């Protein structure tokens, strides 16, 4: 129903915003708490996809306390959902030490058997990557 769809959209966006609030204070582990054990993760600064919560933990834990965002915003978050899957897409702008970064993000969520939505796939890309001169 439309009411259920709105509830799923609200839940997914709230999960993401809560994790970003922690991230902005230098704690990326909020995302670990909302990620499934079999999560996969793409990032333009990594050579390969990360597979599973253990690999994602190895990336995130050393970052704890290493940065603080002055400001950030999720721009036009959109959730497309079915009964057990939801895809969240948005642009993400952040300002750290006065430097602005613009990103595209796609997060795929799955409704787990315990009734909680968990991220199973994350894909980050730079909105306007710098083109290398040949």
């Amino acid at each position: 129903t439309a009411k259920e769809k709105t509830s799923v959209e609200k839940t997914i966006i709230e999960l993401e915003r809560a994790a970003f609030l922690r991230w902005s204070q230098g704690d990326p582990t909020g995302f670990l708490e909302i990620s499934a054990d079999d999560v996969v993760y793409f990032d333009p600064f990594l050579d390969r996809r990360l597979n599973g919560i253990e690999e994602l933990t190895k990336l995130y834990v050393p970052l704890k306390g290493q940065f603080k965002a002055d400001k950030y915003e999720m721009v036009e978050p959109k959730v497309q959902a079915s009964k057990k899957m939801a895809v969240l897409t948005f642009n993400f702008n952040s300002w750290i030490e006065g430097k602005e970064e613009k990103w595209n993000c796609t997060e795929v969520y799955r409704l787990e058997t315990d009734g909680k939505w968990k991220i199973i796939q994350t894909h980050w890309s730079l909105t306007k990557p710098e083109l290398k001169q040949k």
Side-chain angles (χ1 to χ4, degrees):
T1 67
K3 188 175 182 180
E4 288 171 338
K5 184 179 176 189
T6 302
S7 175
V8 169
E9 289 173 8
K10 184 178 178 188
T11 298
I12 297 294
I13 291 171
E14 284 177 1
L15 285 168
E16 201 79 10
R17 288 190 194 280
F20 273 124
L21 181 61
R22 288 175 61 182
W23 171 88
S24 72
Q25 300 301 311
D27 179 9
T29 61
F31 283 100
L32 296 174
E33 294 170 11
I34 62 170
S35 292
D37 289 343
D38 61 342
V39 65
V40 294
Y41 178 92
F42 282 105
D43 181 313
F45 296 106
L46 298 175
D47 292 334
R48 66 174 185 83
R49 178 187 68 220
L50 298 182
N51 297 301
I53 196 71
E54 289 178 14
E55 288 187 11
L56 189 58
T57 299
K58 287 178 185 174
L59 174 68
Y60 279 171
V61 169
L63 298 175
K64 196 170 184 176
Q66 299 298 311
F67 63 90
K68 183 174 178 171
D70 305 316
K71 182 173 125 179
Y72 68 93
E73 60 186 356
M74 285 177 66
V75 181
E76 295 185 42
K78 179 178 180 75
V79 176
Q80 297 166 288
S82 64
K83 291 184 184 205
K84 297 192 182 217
M85 300 289 279
V87 178
L88 169 64
T89 56
F90 57 94
N91 291 99
F92 185 76
N93 300 334
S94 66
W95 293 262
I96 297 175
E97 296 178 1
K99 182 181 180 221
E100 181 180 14
E101 290 190 0
K102 293 186 175 204
W103 297 84
N104 304 310
C105 185
T106 301
E107 302 262 48
V108 179
Y109 281 79
R110 178 179 62 213
L111 185 61
E112 302 290 85
T113 55
D114 63 2
K116 293 180 181 177
W117 288 95
K118 296 278 189 162
I119 298 169
I120 61 167
Q121 198 269 344
T122 297
H123 193 122
W124 286 98
S125 64
L126 295 167
T127 301
K128 292 186 178 181
E130 291 183 25
L131 300 176
K132 293 182 180 178
Q133 299 290 327
K134 288 190 174 188

